[in-house]
Amino acid sequence: MAYAYLFKYIIIGDTGVGKSCLLLQFTDKRFQPVHDLTIGVEFGARMITIDGKQIKLQIWDTAGQEAFRSITRSYYRGAAGALLVYDITRRETFNHLTTWLEDARQHSNSNMVIMLIGNKSDLESRREVKKEEGEAFAREHGLVFMETSAKTAANVEEAFINTAKEIYEKIQEGVFDINNEANGIKIGPQHSTAGGAKAGGAGAGGAAGGGCC
Amino acid sequence: MFRSRSWFGGGWGRPKNPHSLERLKYLHNILCKNTTVSESNRGILVESLRCIAEILIWGDQNDSSVFDFFLEKNMLSYFLRIMRQKCGGSSYVCVQLLQTLNILFENIRNETSLYYLLSNNHVNSIIVHKFDVSDEEVMAYYISFLKTLSLKLNNHTIHFFYNEHTKDFPLYTEAIKFFNHPESMVRIAVRTLTLNVYRVQDASMLRFIRDRTAAPYFSNLVWFIGKHILELDACVRNDADHQSQQKLDDLVAEHLDHLHYINDILCLNIPDLNDVLTEHLLHKLLIPLYIYSLTSGSIKRPTSSPYNRDHIQSIEVITRNLEAILSGRSSDTPPRLKYPIQKMESEDDLKPSVSCVVSLFLLSQVFLIITHGPIVHALAWIIIQSDISIFDEGAMNILETYVSTAKSNVKLEFAKPQLSLEKALECSTCHDRDYTTPEYSGAKAFGYDTDHSSCDLDPELVSNSLPSTSHISETSSIAHDSTEDLVTQVQSIKSPVKENMPDSPLPDSGIDSTSSKTMSDLNNITDEEKQQLLVSLTNTEKSLTLENIIDKERRDIDNKPFLKTILDSLDCNEDDYKALFALCLLYALINNKGVSSELLDTLLKSELDDSEKVTKESRDENVGQEHQTKPKDHFNALLVAKLMAIAHLSCKPASKVRLVTCEITARLLKIAMEGSSGVPSARHLSAADNLRARAASLARNFYKCDDIFLDMFEDEYCEMCKRPLNVEWLCMDAAILLPPTKTPMSGIAFEKRLPSGEMERARRAIRTFFLIRELYLKLSGKQETQLPLANHAPFVQVGKTLDLNDSDLISCDITQKDGTWQHRFLAVDNIQIILVEPDKQKLGWGVAKLVGSLQDLEITGDKEDPRCLHLTIHKPRVGSTGVSPRTVLLRAKFKFDDHIRSMAAKQRLTKGRTKARQKKMQQIGRLLEVSGISAPAVAPRHRPLFARPSLSTVRRHSGIDGDETDRRIRRPSGHVLKDGVIVYRERTTMSRDSSVSRGSSGKVSREGSQEEIPLEDIRRNSSHPATPSTSRQQSTPSTSQLPKVSRTPSEETSFISGESRPKRKGIIETI
Ligand SMILES: Nc1nc2c(ncn2[C@@H]2O[C@H](COP(=O)(O)OP(=O)(O)O)[C@@H](O)[C@H]2O)c(=O)[nH]1
Ligand SMILES: [Mg+2]
């Protein structure tokens, strides 16, 4: 199925906060908590619908590349949205947010939408960071905030979709230069005049695109 | 291998559990039954694949028999089979397969499980499988798969991917084919993968990388960087109107990405790899394109240069090779993929040079990012040392000269190829790659010629490329003549530069000018006149050693084409467009750790130091003009003169020098003046002082006793402290690549453009003054003691209990916009407005609830209710780093008991505000040497230096920054309370507070004496107008000297007046 827009996201935060799990939880809901097994992945794509428009989200995890400066800086630049994740059961992951944010702000394009995520909300008993603290941080830095659980899937959809909504609004407002793919936004084939690639099959879970043989 | 994870239910044996060996067997059965993919079974296959991944991960953590089964049944081969089916290869199934593999490899924690998965060559077969990479989704999952695998690489797993015997490393060779993919995320994944591969540090694998892939990969990389900057250059050239700034931003960021990537590779410190990369970078990019472009505008290269041709040929060859690589896949790639490459072929792009501005900018980035010694040192050497002969000899010779001349340990491997490299090349040319394993049969057709199409010169391609070479020759044959011209010019030049730069002799003549002419005479003439005067002054003293040195350096520099370009670019008479980049480059070069200090001596070592000893010799030498054979030239004096010229220009009212240029100039001046000895000479110091006086005079033009000037002054200081220049960040900003603009509507930061309008001109003047003053203080090793502007007393801490007996207090009700209501007492002193609440324990005492600065207070009356005032109270602007930005503390309506009290409050506040501001204006006046705002008339003996017109103090350092001894004797006053509204309970604590709050204002030195002084004394003394010596330097001129402050008693409330005024009123109110 063709999309109207493609948004590229990155997902950042300390190791172990649950980035890979969030990503898989969102892109492939099949990995349900019933199985008591959390599985992660570092790339995923999924189609969502906003305002009646098909929007494809591509989420790229930066994990494992922190050692290389060249990699992190280019990641930031190519994204329209970023999920900045911390673990509510580990305060240090919250304390590191400032550094992450500075990095993001320095390297990303100024329109990038950043969503702050306090993950592992299912572990209420081990909570070290109050929800209010996350809210305050988000308010102070102009981010959208949400607590999620990749395990119970609580708020995971919302986190990704709300970010997309905000990007979409910015597009409507004309803030994003959508013709510049470096912004992490791509217009789907139906919009483009110069005939981009056929979108091929839809993302996981979608119906297969024709193109057989 | 049973292990239980803490959050697992441990129910691996539950019969209904989908996580079980039984379930896997069942899924295996499904795969067996559906060997052929069709529309009908696609769904069930995808479903099974997901489940398999899940079970395997579960098995990895709980039950080893799962993996045994998986391996035994060779289940990965099913994956392959599905993939290879035409129909099964539809993206839907492929994507799911790839994602299943991603999940598998990412989530497996057990080394053994991982080995199982990798143990037969299936994974390599999947890697080389011909996916439909034109489908962006497949491409994304495929490259993520490769990247995920690369994250699993270590000294053990590397052998599953790299086959030492067949010299085969599909993971790497497949991935690098996409290094220039149009999708940025794909390119990033490729870079990540390569870095992950290199850092494994497996000797055999690295040898393979170096021998078989490094040359083609790096040459392609380098070629595309080159193409890229040609595009950037075109963008700059065609966009004088700031139209495509977004595109320029991307191109600049992209170039930075490349440099960071290269730096990341170099930082892995793999010697073999670094040598190849260094060679490619220097030979194919940095020297031919970046460095040669420096002179492309002025000096043309002769045709005969063999280097040029080589360069063009190799670029041709590289292009073709690259095409070959990509065309390997071209049959099934849509034209979209090839598009950027074709576009690159346009003739215009082939011109191998960029504008001087762009090359200065790019070289700055190189020196800011890359620290690898062999690269930066070679580059620095070429820029600084190479002489005019390079245009005949070619770059190869430059490097040879460099290697033999430079006293460094830099080993340039390309000069003498290692034996192993030769061997390897031999090997790679005769060795036909043979993929005998069945899995590779399918792969052979498309990609593996990559390695053959390495960039080793192919004679056929070289001859094919001749047309474009001749095109180049044509243009450069014209250039040849001009080179000759240049040589004759060089000989005939007799410092004509001087006429073009009226400013340049000035900076170094500080001593003479001031000694021979009183500066007060110069006070009323224009800058231009002054300059002429000074020039004429110096001209009479032609015999000065310094002059000779500069002259000599000017002649010598003509022999150094690159350095000359850079230094010539520093001319800001027209504008500072080019100069900014030259400054950035100099700054980056000097501060790069990879560049040796001996080399930098050329720029930093003052020849005056030597010549002072051998003055005679050097004079003789100058007469004979035989300096050209001198082995070591120095250009410190010339550099300083050029920098001074910029600094002087920026002190002119209609200057074309942007603040950012001024700031970086100041930084470089400090470095250049301190030189290699680290100490500036007396001559430099006086020149800097002279400069400071000019900057003060510039700012003085805007000195007005209005509200805006003071606010602006403090704001600018705050802004400057908050955001000191970061050259690396500056060079990330593409906006500076476009010609300097004035308009703020360009979105360009104030520092990076010219001022627009009177306000901005004032801001620029103030900021210039700060920058130059800072330079002067730093050079002379003095502490800043006057900035930020000090307050006469410390601000009271909120929450402090204050003795308010005998203070004027006005009771009021405060209502905020949101309806919040409070009752407070209003107290005012010289600098602050304090809202207090009575202390419940102690009668007559109160707790400070809010402390605001009087200076920034906004007061308006109420139209309806005469009992009310509207106040906006700002936070005191004393922060840990000097001045902090203006922040509103409270905006509210103050209601007093009656209109008399309201009026009294208004009067008191307005007066206090005015006086606080006047005090500060006086400080500024003193800083800027405004005539009239000098020392207090009553105590001229204390401050004799300020009694004279401003310029007369230029030469007297002590006059500007206070005489040390004088200051020590003077009793400091933490408190200049005009009528002592507040008495502090804890004296010592208070003193400490005060020193903390002004920690950065450089007054810490006086802290000790401060603590010994009883506060009551100060209070009593300071309230007496006739004893200004008790107050701090900044507050010395008491109100009596300020013409604006009316001392008419009738206008004053008890607050302003001295001790003699009755004070009981306040206390009555408190009680
Ligand atoms: N309880 C709980 N655990 C989680 C959650 N998300 C992730 N985890 C666990 O946290 C660990 C790290 O998760 P991972 O996604 O690999 O973190 P990453 O390093 O940020 O990618 C894993 O053991 C997950 O099982 C969650 O929402 N709740
Ligand atoms: Mg992860």
Side-chain angles (χ1 to χ4, degrees), chain B residues 862-914:
Chain B
D862 192 287
K863 284 189 195 88
E864 268 118 56
D865 190 347
R867 285 173 303 172
C868 289
L869 288 179
H870 295 271
L871 299 184
T872 305
I873 303 177
H874 291 84
K875 222 169 159 174
R877 299 185 69 180
V878 277
S880 50
T881 52
V883 193
S884 52
R886 200 180 305 275
T887 2
V888 174
L889 276 179
L890 178 72
R891 184 171 283 139
K893 181 162 149 183
F894 285 61
K895 188 172 178 184
F896 300 91
D897 293 349
D898 49 42
H899 87 278
I900 300 285
R901 282 184 176 81
S902 168
M903 261 170 64
K906 187 176 181 187
Q907 220 166 42
R908 200 179 286 189
L909 291 169
T910 316
K911 272 243 142 47
R913 178 178 189 275
T914 311

Side-chain angles (χ1 to χ4, degrees), chain B residues 24 27-28 31 35 37 45-46 48-53 56 70 73-85 88-89 93-94 96-102 104-105 117 122-123 125-126 129 131 145:
Chain B
L24 183 63
L27 292 167
H28 172 244
L31 289 183
T35 44
V37 188
L45 274 172
V46 165
S48 310
L49 290 172
R50 293 176 179 199
C51 295
I52 289 170
L56 284 174
F70 186 78
K73 297 292 175 193
N74 205 3
M75 280 175 80
L76 269 182
S77 68
Y78 289 88
F79 286 28
L80 257 177
R81 210 176 301 157
I82 294 170
M83 248 182 254
R84 283 178 182 162
Q85 287 174 42
V93 182
C94 264
Q96 191 52 54
L97 261 170
L98 285 166
Q99 187 68 328
T100 301
L101 289 163
N102 279 336
L104 264 181
F105 283 101
L117 277 177
H122 291 317
V123 170
S125 307
I126 296 168
H129 176 74
F131 289 98
F145 170 60

